[in-house]
Amino acid sequence: MTPHPSSAAPNDLRNQLYRYAQDMQELMEQHSRVQARYQAVLQSQGRASLSNDLLLVGIREGLTPYLVTDSSGMIAQVNACTEPLLGAPGPGLRGLSLMQLVPRAQQQTLVTVLAQLVYMNGSSAILQCQIGLYDGVEVDSICQFDVLIVPLQTYAKVEFFWLLHPANPDMPDALSALQQFNLLNDSGFGLLLTDASAAICATNPAFTRITGFEASEVIGRNPELLSAGRHDDAFYQSFWSELSTLGSWSGEFFNRRKGGQIYPEWKTVKAVKNVTGDTLAYLSVFADGAHQRVDTDQLARMAYHDTLTGLPNRRLLEDRVAQSLSQAQRDGLGLSLLFIDLDRFKPINDKFGHEVGDQVLQEVARRLKKSVRQGDTAARVGGDEFVIMLQGAVRAADVESIASTVLTKLGAPIIVGGHKLLVGASIGCARYPQDGGDMVTLLKHADRSMYAAKRFGGNHFCLHEGRGDLNGVANLGHDLWQALERNEMHLVYQPQVTAGGALCGCEALLRWTHGALGSVLPLTFVPLAEATGAILPLGDWVLDSACRQLKQFQEAGLHQLTMAVNVSARQLNDPDFPNRVCQILLATGIAPHLLELEVTESEALLCESDGQQRLQSLRALGVKIAVDDFGTGFSSLSRLHTLPVDRLKIDQSFVRDLATSLNARAISQCFVSLGLAMGLEVVAEGVETSEQYQVLTNQGCHLIQGYFTGRPMTAQALLAQFKPVSPALPL
Ligand code: C2E
Ligand code: MG
Ligand code: MG
């Protein structure tokens, strides 16, 4: 039964508000932790090589300002948070010399440090430096920074990568952290942020909805302007004393709207402190307590949504499944339920505590929401259990494709409070009408299949084994060994083009058409082949087939085409691997420089040092080596230097948001510059739109691969699309 609003609202609302304020506080603390961690690195690594892990945390979260200059200090690139930090409106910082922003006394020190880095081959330098805040015309005030400088050297030129860390984190940082996470604007609660002297610095749209005041009318003023005069001095005394001793206050507060109407607020106020315990700001989170409107809305949400993640709860899921089932029965459509259980949630929760556990669940929820299509539902049904309802998806291949996306998304590390957590998930699936006609039966079957996936070692997906043709992944491992004999494997080729649009290479991608299940995605079977060892014969077959195909492309006139082949760490760890590559090159007559081996960033670093030696010896022969999925593996820049590499392939996750996100642009620019600075060719993968293509080519990316310039296709299709026109014969 739905609880009566007036009896249930206060406590539930108060809890929810409190949790919300805690989340905000957590964000602030996360910000401080990133800074503290950075500080620790600065202190511990006297001769530090920059950890890319740290760099990525900072850059991804948009909290670490950085810039790249040429050898004279001319600013070539800055990331999204640097310009607001250094205060550059209008033309921005590019093209300005960093030296112009540094007081004269410091310029000499800087020049000496830069010269030492270049001429004495230093790997990095750490120093304290004053940098001016530029108002577009002149430097007005000076701020102290801890600076880490890393030289980026190529044969041709030297550039410097500068990481800036404000020595005294204060209000602008806290604000930018909040804005960065976009929470001020998204929240359904009213938010009010004041500085330490209680002057209002920021509000959100819900604040305006509730109070009637626009942000511009209240910024800089004291929240007193909202006071309804209902509370006496004793009330305020206890309010401030709780806030200063406990750091937070929760309760009912009477305020007055702009129009004069007095209304109750359910309010939580938190003091936002920096690492040293000084109060930087007060954050007030509140809901309109004038019952009818707020309570019905809020209660409806609370009754049907999980308060921690905001996802639909079991009750809403049941409603939606019932609705969709009756629609499916009426229209003869299908429906699938994916039961998702996290693989390593419990140990993470036990080791790092509930707060970290909660954040992991929230991130999982965000990733699930992004994985499903419009009209589908992702719900949280238990501690670490989630269910996705897919409308209309009954073909094994469709369900599998979505399950693979979910597995990949949940397999990527989750970063909480400086910990890089690998959570992973197991997924079981049941489908209507094959596996049951009601929610209870379908959920039971999906749950059972999930356990089958767990028995497989986690990070797997199983379809319910209700009917002969629906055998799940559990048998795939076995079938993989026979796939070659049964002629079920083939290769497709995805074009790689230059910034000018000319075809220059292609990547061979493996495809499996399973006798009973139809097409199975590489994201499902490649990890399985790696786990079972079947990748060795398969990888060998791929190399051989790809080189033979390249020969045929050459014979058709595509003489300089390169062929990229994905290689797994398991293959690199095989001592016979370089010999096999040589044999294949000799047998097919392919020049080594036209073959490129793609190793993912994490695998390149994971494979044993012998494996890296093998890559080195192949490279000495002329074979090209590419780091695949660059940016996802958290490798360190210094390790990257030691790897035998010719190309970086920027992972598609960084390409996806290029057209809309400044941060994504900054990251891709950073990768392109890193690649260029290290003398490597840079390829962007997953380029789907002309906007992404434009941004990347403007940023200096050499090669483009993605649906925009060509999907993976058969060799015939590639030839038909790109076959060179024969020159007209001279008469
Ligand atoms: P990868 O090497 O990073 O390959 C790129 C993947 O992105 C391919 O998926 C490709 O079809 C997909 N892709 C290309 N352009 C776009 C685009 O514009 N948008 C989107 N959304 N996707 C795009 P695929 O073929 O499913 O392969 C997935 C992964 O499986 C590969 O990632 C690679 O790691 C692995 N793989 C594929 N073939 C082989 C193989 O022969 N051997 C080994 N060891 N791994 C392989
Ligand atoms: Mg690849
Ligand atoms: Mg890739």
Side-chain angles (χ1 to χ4, degrees):
M1 205 181 98
T2 315
H4 190 269
S6 57
S7 62
N11 273 340
D12 286 357
L13 267 182
R14 213 171 301 177
N15 287 342
Q16 188 150 343
L17 284 176
Y18 193 73
R19 181 180 283 286
Y20 196 83
Q22 274 178 326
D23 289 349
M24 297 296 251
Q25 176 73 7
E26 185 55 39
L27 287 179
M28 296 295 200
E29 283 165 8
Q30 198 170 334
H31 180 227
S32 308
R33 273 198 295 271
V34 171
Q35 289 184 321
R37 197 166 155 209
Y38 180 48
Q39 201 75 43
V41 172
L42 289 179
Q43 279 164 6
S44 71
Q45 304 188 347
R47 33 148 234 101
S49 64
L50 171 61
S51 147
N52 200 27
D53 178 334
L54 181 75
L55 177 78
L56 285 180
V57 171
I59 292 175
R60 279 216 179 117
E61 295 179 7
L63 301 173
T64 308
Y66 74 84
L67 35 87
V68 177
T69 69
D70 69 12
S71 55
S72 70
M74 190 72 77
I75 299 171
Q77 296 166 38
V78 288
N79 70 339
C81 67
T82 308
E83 303 218 64
L85 183 79
L86 295 186
L93 293 171
R94 273 180 204 222
L96 207 73
S97 171
L98 191 61
M99 296 299 170
Q100 288 172 256
L101 301 183
V102 171
R104 190 173 292 278
Q106 294 244 318
Q107 284 177 8
Q108 193 54 43
T109 323
L110 264 187
V111 172
T112 316
V113 169
L114 298 186
Q116 277 171 350
L117 284 174
V118 176
Y119 300 117
M120 299 168 74
N121 285 330
S123 61
S124 62
I126 294 169
L127 66 155
Q128 283 223 323
C129 182
Q130 292 179 319
I131 301 182
L133 308 184
Y134 179 65
D135 70 0
V137 182
E138 58 179 5
V139 169
D140 53 5
S141 55
I142 300 281
C143 183
Q144 181 89 352
F145 286 89
D146 292 316
V147 182
L148 179 65
I149 311 173
V150 183
L152 308 168
Q153 304 200 24
T154 60
Y155 300 113
K157 61 175 180 176
V158 177
E159 285 188 320
F160 292 103
F161 188 89
W162 305 65
L163 217 58
L164 310 180
H165 176 73
N168 278 318
D170 58 9
M171 197 54 205
D173 295 281
L175 247 185
S176 83
L178 279 174
Q179 281 159 350
Q180 201 71 45
F181 287 92
N182 238 340
L183 279 176
L184 278 177
N185 292 332
D186 282 354
S187 155
F189 294 111
L191 294 180
L192 180 67
L193 191 68
T194 72
D195 65 15
S197 70
I200 299 176
C201 334
T203 62
N204 71 337
F207 170 91
T208 304
R209 258 196 322 275
I210 297 171
T211 66
F213 284 103
E214 293 295 333
S216 56
E217 297 173 288
V218 297
I219 300 279
R221 302 184 62 184
N222 190 293
E224 253 176 21
L225 94 153
L226 297 165
S227 166
R230 284 270 186 101
H231 302 292
D232 55 14
D233 288 350
F235 175 90
Y236 282 108
Q237 259 168 18
S238 100
F239 169 84
W240 282 110
S241 111
E242 245 181 71
L243 204 52
S244 64
T245 49
L246 303 176
S248 72
W249 180 92
S250 284
E252 196 179 25
F253 214 98
F254 281 89
N255 267 343
R256 188 192 298 273
R257 297 189 219 274
K258 190 177 174 187
Q261 186 197 9
I262 293 177
Y263 69 101
E265 276 178 359
W266 291 105
K267 193 181 193 69
T268 292
V269 184
K270 277 234 148 199
V272 177
K273 300 189 174 175
N274 68 6
V275 263
T276 53
D278 309 319
T279 298
L280 300 177
Y282 295 102
L283 179 66
S284 162
V285 186
F286 60 94
D288 192 336
H291 321 295
Q292 312 82 335
R293 238 174 4 127
V294 176
D295 294 349
T296 43
D297 274 10
Q298 296 295 340
L299 277 175
R301 260 199 84 67
M302 281 189 279
Y304 286 105
H305 289 82
D306 166 44
T307 39
L308 178 65
T309 61
L311 288 182
N313 59 14
R314 184 182 280 268
R315 201 161 145 196
L316 182 52
L317 178 75
E318 276 170 10
D319 278 6
R320 291 205 181 151
V321 171
Q323 250 180 31
S324 302
L325 271 177
S326 65
Q327 192 184 344
Q329 279 154 5
R330 204 178 51 231
D331 303 341
L333 295 172
L335 177 152
S336 300
L337 292 187
L338 299 183
F339 196 102
I340 303 167
D341 186 272
L342 303 183
D343 288 336
R344 282 173 293 274
F345 179 73
K346 191 170 176 313
I348 287 172
N349 208 32
D350 291 348
K351 181 164 178 200
F352 298 107
H354 292 295
E355 284 194 15
V356 168
D358 282 359
Q359 288 189 56
V360 167
L361 292 172
Q362 286 167 336
E363 178 58 23
V364 165
R366 274 191 282 274
R367 293 184 187 185
L368 287 180
K369 264 193 248 171
K370 281 193 190 155
S371 314
V372 298
R373 307 162 303 179
Q374 227 178 1
D376 294 340
T377 297
R380 180 170 175 226
V381 295
D384 62 346
E385 292 169 346
F386 299 83
V387 169
I388 291 180
M389 177 189 73
L390 302 172
Q391 284 185 317
V394 272
R395 282 184 32 219
D398 295 339
V399 176
E400 196 173 74
S401 149
I402 293 169
S404 296
T405 311
V406 173
L407 281 182
T408 311
K409 289 226 159 88
L410 298 188
I414 293 181
I415 295 171
V416 177
H419 306 292
K420 196 172 106 192
L421 306 170
L422 290 170
V423 184
S426 299
I427 306 183
C429 170
R431 293 175 290 165
Y432 168 82
Q434 297 92 320
D435 306 326
D438 58 87
M439 161 128 168
V440 175
T441 319
L442 285 172
L443 257 193
K444 192 173 75 194
H445 286 155
D447 184 49
R448 214 175 273 167
S449 314
M450 185 278 293
Y451 274 102
K454 279 259 187 255
R455 278 200 295 281
F456 209 69
N459 197 29
H460 272 97
F461 160 63
C462 276
L463 276 173
H464 177 61
E465 297 185 26
R467 295 240 287 256
D469 63 338
L470 303 175
N471 282 345
V473 168
N475 290 330
L476 288 186
H478 174 257
D479 294 349
L480 261 177
W481 288 95
Q482 280 144 30
L484 280 178
E485 269 170 40
R486 292 184 182 162
N487 247 341
E488 292 176 345
M489 292 291 181
H490 73 279
L491 290 178
V492 287
Y493 303 89
Q494 185 171 31
Q496 296 175 329
V497 304
T498 61
L503 176 75
C504 59
C506 61
E507 177 176 1
L509 293 160
L510 188 54
R511 293 288 176 265
W512 182 15
T513 315
H514 186 282
L517 296 174
S519 88
V520 184
L521 293 176
L523 287 176
T524 306
F525 74 78
V526 168
L528 207 59
E530 279 164 355
T532 58
I535 196 71
L536 291 178
L538 275 176
D540 195 73
W541 179 85
V542 171
L543 257 175
D544 189 52
S545 311
C547 288
R548 281 175 206 284
Q549 185 55 57
L550 183 58
K551 189 76 199 163
Q552 290 183 16
F553 283 146
Q554 290 177 351
E555 285 163 4
L558 296 170
H559 297 289
Q560 289 309 313
L561 199 72
T562 57
M563 176 66 76
V565 175
N566 293 285
V567 175
S568 78
R570 189 100 185 215
Q571 288 170 275
L572 293 179
N573 289 338
D574 173 10
D576 204 31
F577 181 69
N579 287 344
R580 265 307 282 159
V581 176
C582 293
Q583 273 173 6
I584 291 173
L585 288 175
L586 289 172
T588 50
I590 294 294
H593 74 275
L594 295 180
L595 174 65
E596 180 175 298
L597 302 180
E598 288 192 5
V599 189
T600 62
E601 186 187 9
S602 40
E603 294 204 328
L605 294 154
L606 269 182
C607 73
E608 297 154 12
S609 64
D610 286 354
Q612 290 183 18
Q613 284 272 293
R614 279 173 211 126
L615 280 182
Q616 190 73 271
S617 66
L618 283 168
R619 192 161 175 255
L621 205 83
V623 174
K624 299 274 184 280
I625 311 292
V627 181
D628 203 352
D629 303 346
F630 182 71
T632 60
F634 293 94
S635 60
S636 75
L637 288 181
S638 53
R639 285 291 299 280
L640 200 59
H641 263 297
T642 66
L643 285 177
V645 170
D646 304 274
R647 265 189 188 174
L648 296 184
K649 291 191 78 175
I650 303 181
D651 187 62
Q652 37 183 288
S653 55
F654 298 102
V655 173
R656 202 165 299 136
D657 302 329
L658 272 186
T660 50
S661 154
L662 279 179
N663 242 2
R665 281 185 198 210
I667 292 173
S668 68
Q669 179 68 81
C670 170
F671 288 166
V672 170
S673 309
L674 273 180
L676 298 182
M678 289 165 76
L680 307 176
E681 269 192 319
V682 181
V683 187
E685 58 181 352
V687 179
E688 293 182 350
T689 65
S690 67
E691 287 93 336
Q692 293 166 346
Y693 181 89
Q694 282 304 336
V695 171
L696 286 158
T697 49
N698 287 343
Q699 287 183 338
C701 189
H702 298 103
L703 299 182
I704 301 291
Q705 181 181 342
Y707 295 168
F708 179 63
T709 47
R711 288 187 173 251
M713 55 183 96
T714 61
Q716 293 83 335
L718 188 129
L719 269 179
Q721 194 172 329
F722 292 98
K723 192 172 172 171
V725 187
S726 347
L729 290 176
L731 289 173

